[in-house]
């Protein structure tokens, strides 16, 4: 259930998302068996080499398992890094990237400076990458990172000034990257993002003039 050709069939996209939601619900039900579930998923991913769809869905399930490990556990860190790699692949499809974003926030909690450094790196990629899939994945990862560490760290991440410069840039890809970041942060933080709308709305209104 993966690949760019799947994105052209809405029914298959909905089927994949339903299967992923069911799998994540099962993981929550059996979270006390996280170690065993991790071994099963690793085996599944290894045996599905060559099937991008199965591997990508397996990686999403890894995120569901990873949040049940202790903060700082090497297994959780490895899972987080693996999800980031998928997010930032040039061939990643949007629906899979959004599924990964939903399971990532707990993997950033308690990460301290390491999580903040990842957030800064994702911001840079979201603005400066020449590839749309990478910009979108980086923006979604940034949203997940901010939700994980808490909106209180937005100042530490220093997101507003770089995004302001990017959204006002003459380079279309930079403007798009900034807007993707705004969207991802709003989706991740929900109502928590409301106090920051005043920083975003003027730029969004200006971009309506883009053709």
């Amino acid at each position: 259930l993966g690949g760019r050709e799947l994105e052209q069939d809405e029914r298959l996209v909905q089927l994949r998302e339903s299967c992923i939601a069911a799998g994540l619900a099962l993981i929550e039900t059996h979270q006390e068996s996280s170690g065993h579930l991790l071994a099963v998923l690793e085996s599944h991913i290894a045996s599905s080499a060559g099937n991008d769809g199965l591997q990508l869905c397996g990686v999403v399930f890894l995120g569901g398992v990873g949040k049940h490990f202790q903060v700082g556990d090497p297994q959780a860190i490895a899972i987080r890094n693996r999800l980031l790699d998928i997010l930032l692949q040039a061939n990643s499809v949007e629906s899979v990237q959004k599924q990964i974003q939903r399971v990532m926030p707990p993997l950033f909690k308690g990460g301290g400076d390491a999580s903040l450094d990842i957030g800064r790196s994702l911001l840079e990629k979201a603005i400066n990458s020449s590839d749309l899939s990478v910009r979108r994945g980086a923006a979604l990862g940034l949203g997940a990172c901010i939700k994980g560490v808490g909106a209180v760290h937005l100042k530490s991440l220093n997101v507003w000034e770089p995004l302001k410069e990017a959204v006002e840039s003459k380079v279309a890809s930079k403007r798009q990257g900034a807007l993707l970041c705004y969207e991802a942060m709003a989706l991740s933080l929900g109502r928590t993002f409301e106090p920051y709308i005043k920083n975003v709305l003027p730029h969004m209104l200006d971009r309506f003039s883009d053709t």
Side-chain angles (χ1 to χ4, degrees), residues 48-124:
S48 60
N51 188 320
D52 291 342
L54 289 176
Q55 290 211 321
L56 290 172
C57 292
V59 170
V60 173
F61 292 146
L62 283 180
V65 171
K67 71 178 184 178
H68 297 299
F69 290 105
Q70 293 294 321
V71 172
D73 188 301
Q75 291 176 304
I77 293 173
I79 290 171
R80 181 195 65 198
N81 293 340
R82 195 166 184 173
L83 294 179
L84 286 170
D85 287 342
I86 297 294
L87 268 183
L88 299 175
Q89 284 181 359
N91 64 343
S92 286
V93 293
E94 183 175 1
S95 61
V96 171
Q97 287 176 319
K98 288 183 174 179
Q99 289 286 357
I100 290 175
Q101 181 203 29
R102 294 187 185 111
V103 300
M104 282 195 75
L107 299 173
F108 288 105
K109 287 183 178 178
D113 290 341
S115 290
L116 296 179
D117 286 343
I118 291 172
R120 296 183 189 103
S121 175
L122 290 168
L123 175 62
E124 190 277 331

Side-chain angles (χ1 to χ4, degrees), residues 26-48:
L26 283 172
I27 289 170
E28 287 299 303
T29 301
H30 300 286
Q31 59 184 265
E32 71 281 356
S33 303
S34 294
H36 174 68
L37 290 172
L38 178 60
V40 170
L41 287 170
E42 290 286 11
S43 175
H44 163 78
I45 292 171
S47 66
S48 60

Side-chain angles (χ1 to χ4, degrees), residues 4-16:
R4 292 189 178 276
E5 66 281 356
L6 180 147
E7 302 302 297
Q8 300 172 8
D9 192 323
E10 185 177 347
R11 293 172 302 173
L12 290 178
V13 171
Q14 292 175 345
L15 174 60
R16 179 177 62 194

